Amino acid sequence: MLVDLDERFDASAGAAARERIERAGYALSEGRGAADRTLAWIDDAFGGAWSSEAKNGRNIVVSNDGAPVAFATFDPAEMRYAWLRGVATHDDVCVFGPFGVDPRFRGNGIGASLLIAALVSMRDRGARRALIAAAGEDVVPYYERVVGARVAERFDLGSF
């Protein structure tokens, strides 16, 4: 899926998204890589290879009482997945994902605010479009609704 990082993702949108998260009682941190505690939580909460992508990418982590409850990774380094050979190679595109909110903390808006904050950060770093890589069909409506994403490429994952 592709998101145009236009004026909807300017600095004021990022500030508003971060403020919503903080007003709800959560803390945010941003940086390259992630702490071991966060990587272990990602493995525990979501399984799969997401922690390796978070380790090699830039992350915004939302915490509650010092424990991670949501994260967004973007600009992962050294990822060689087959689905990163198309739109992801364009100079104005930054790869977004993985992205997750602990199931116990869903439904309160922090996920949407975190998503917006991450896209704003990507735009601030010079990206003009964000590629939400390998999004499953079950999350397509979420990305369409929250950030106006559109399907840019389709892959048969069984062929990789």
Side-chain angles (χ1 to χ4, degrees):
M1 301 195 74
L2 206 57
V3 180
D4 292 319
L5 300 179
D6 54 27
E7 65 280 349
R8 294 172 299 153
F9 302 100
D10 65 8
S12 65
R18 289 170 181 270
E19 183 179 318
R20 284 190 299 274
I21 292 169
E22 291 170 354
R23 222 179 20 245
Y26 301 96
L28 283 105
S29 60
E30 181 173 348
R32 173 73 50 195
D36 287 342
R37 178 181 183 179
T38 299
L39 297 173
W41 166 76
I42 290 170
D43 283 342
D44 186 52
F46 306 104
W50 286 7
S51 65
S52 64
E53 294 175 47
K55 181 178 181 179
N56 293 314
R58 184 160 194 83
N59 295 283
I60 300 178
V61 178
V62 175
S63 301
N64 182 354
D65 293 328
V69 299
F71 79 107
T73 299
F74 57 94
D75 194 20
E78 302 178 26
M79 295 291 111
R80 302 204 190 318
Y81 296 116
W83 54 83
L84 297 177
R85 295 182 192 144
V87 173
T89 63
H90 296 191
D91 290 339
D92 66 340
V93 171
C94 185
V95 175
F96 173 85
F99 164 66
V101 178
D102 189 301
R104 297 171 295 153
F105 293 87
R106 292 180 185 164
N108 62 8
I110 63 167
S113 294
L114 174 58
L115 174 57
I116 291 166
L119 294 175
V120 168
S121 190
M122 293 166 72
R123 183 178 193 247
D124 288 349
R125 286 173 172 65
R128 292 295 147 239
R129 298 182 295 160
L131 177 66
I132 302 170
E137 291 297 322
D138 56 331
V139 296
V140 166
Y142 174 80
Y143 288 117
E144 288 173 333
R145 184 181 78 254
V146 175
V147 294
R150 65 188 185 285
V151 174
E153 301 172 309
R154 290 194 186 274
F155 298 96
D156 175 9
L157 295 179
S159 67
F160 294 119

